[in-house]
Amino acid sequence: MARIKFTTDSAADIPAGLREELGIQVLPFPIAMGDREYEDSFDFTPQEFYDMLLAAPKIPTHAQLNPYVFTELFETAWEEGYTDLIHTSINSKGSATCANAYQARGEFYKDHPEARDTFHIHIIDALNYTMGYGWAVVQGARMSAGGAEPQAVVDFIQDWVDHVRVVFSPLDLRFAKKSGRISAAAAFVGEALGLKPVMTFTNGESKILAKVRGEKAVVARLAEMCRAERRAGTPYLMIQGSNREQSDRLLEVCRQELGEEPALSYFIGGVIAINAGPNLIGIIYRV
């Protein structure tokens, strides 16, 4: 009988309650702030981190998850008797973390050739961020709890990340420009004219979909995109940051435009906030 372990990294932004309920192991990215190091999503709540981030004299930094982290993960899961480990990773085009997972898997099987037929390590490159892949992990864990076989779960997660659309707007571009990790946002011009970018990721690369004037127009455009593109019968998720006013407005507009509640409304975590800024809103849906 299959025993599946679900793992991901903290940039997936899975709320603590969900990961605890479903037994999902989240590997925290280390965040350096001043002379202290924090574990993303474990040492603070998202809202606490927004305050820390805005008060910090210098933008914090975060490191990749190195191969040793994954080696320890694989060794422990194997010793605990799991037959399958499904790890869904942050975008490989924005972090070496995914490559490190692949490297550790190769080294694990080299050290333990006897595990090849009894312990299967599945690694999925999300080519995206936040609950764009976190939601797939949550749903995969629910499928497993309902008796789904490992390959069916892997296929579901892969299909979701292949077709998910994360559309968002960093309403304050200071952090995106400082971090430089979201290249399209870092290169955006037009703030002086009151323009805001509406963005997504395509094959792991950031892309500007529209430039709109003012925050109200951003809300309308996000809801319009979701209504026009979302596959019928599939859920949508709401991305929140520190801007409660615009998040509430987006929720109300989505209720009117889409005629239903989001499957989940959640707050971005530390890694996403560092790179996109805490003042962010967005929607996630399947196309």
Side-chain angles (χ1 to χ4, degrees):
M1 182 177 176
R3 278 190 73 205
I4 308 175
K5 185 174 186 66
F6 290 88
T7 66
T8 189
D9 50 67
S10 61
D13 288 340
I14 299 175
L18 276 178
R19 68 188 186 222
E20 291 164 8
E21 173 193 341
L22 296 168
I24 298 166
Q25 182 174 348
V26 171
L27 306 176
F29 282 102
I31 292 178
M33 182 178 288
D35 59 356
R36 289 196 59 183
E37 184 169 283
Y38 298 88
E39 290 192 340
D40 182 32
S41 84
F42 288 87
D43 288 341
F44 43 71
T45 66
Q47 293 88 342
E48 288 170 343
F49 187 74
Y50 304 155
D51 292 337
M52 294 162 61
L53 183 58
L54 293 170
K58 292 178 62 177
I59 186 169
T61 59
H62 58 87
Q64 64 192 21
L65 298 177
N66 61 44
Y68 177 73
V69 170
F70 291 103
T71 297
E72 281 201 319
L73 174 68
F74 301 155
E75 293 276 359
T76 300
W78 182 49
E79 290 170 2
E80 291 176 348
Y82 287 94
T83 61
D84 293 81
L85 183 147
I86 303 175
H87 180 74
T88 311
S89 175
I90 188 174
N91 183 5
S92 63
K93 294 185 179 179
S95 171
T97 293
C98 187
N100 291 339
Y102 280 116
Q103 178 185 331
R105 180 176 69 176
E107 292 173 352
F108 173 84
Y109 285 130
K110 184 178 179 180
D111 292 339
H112 305 287
E114 71 278 17
R116 286 186 180 275
D117 295 328
T118 57
F119 178 52
H120 309 287
I121 301 171
H122 313 268
I123 298 173
I124 300 168
D125 180 0
L127 289 174
N128 223 313
Y129 298 96
T130 190
M131 285 290 278
Y133 63 102
W135 181 250
V137 179
V138 167
Q139 295 302 98
R142 286 173 172 162
M143 287 174 63
S144 176
E149 291 297 314
Q151 192 57 53
V153 175
V154 170
D155 291 345
F156 168 83
I157 295 174
Q158 187 66 63
D159 181 67
W160 172 271
V161 300
D162 285 346
H163 296 92
V164 72
R165 181 82 132 164
V166 178
V167 290
F168 67 100
S169 180
L171 299 174
D172 179 345
L173 287 165
R174 286 179 297 163
F175 291 92
K177 287 186 177 294
K178 285 179 182 177
S179 76
R181 287 176 180 260
I182 305 176
S183 58
F188 181 81
V189 293
E191 302 103 298
L193 300 175
L195 297 177
K196 307 290 183 183
V198 175
M199 305 183 61
T200 193
F201 288 90
T202 301
N203 295 322
E205 304 288 352
S206 58
K207 178 182 178 183
I208 293 177
L209 298 172
K211 299 178 181 181
V212 297
R213 192 178 304 278
E215 295 181 355
K216 287 186 178 180
V218 168
V219 167
R221 182 62 64 90
L222 290 171
E224 176 189 326
M225 287 179 173
C226 183
R227 180 175 56 80
E229 297 180 339
R230 182 173 61 125
R231 178 172 291 191
T234 59
Y236 74 97
L237 288 71
M238 293 259 321
I239 308 170
Q240 296 189 65
S242 61
N243 194 325
R244 187 60 181 267
E245 178 184 355
Q246 298 306 328
S247 294
D248 288 347
R249 180 175 283 128
L250 179 59
L251 176 59
E252 187 57 37
V253 171
C254 283
R255 283 170 172 162
Q256 295 171 4
E257 289 284 328
L258 306 174
E260 61 186 279
E261 295 289 321
L264 181 69
S265 184
Y266 73 96
F267 292 92
I268 56 170
V271 167
I272 306 302
I274 286 172
N275 291 293
N279 188 0
L280 175 149
I281 56 173
I283 310 180
I284 297 171
Y285 53 91
R286 193 185 191 284
V287 296

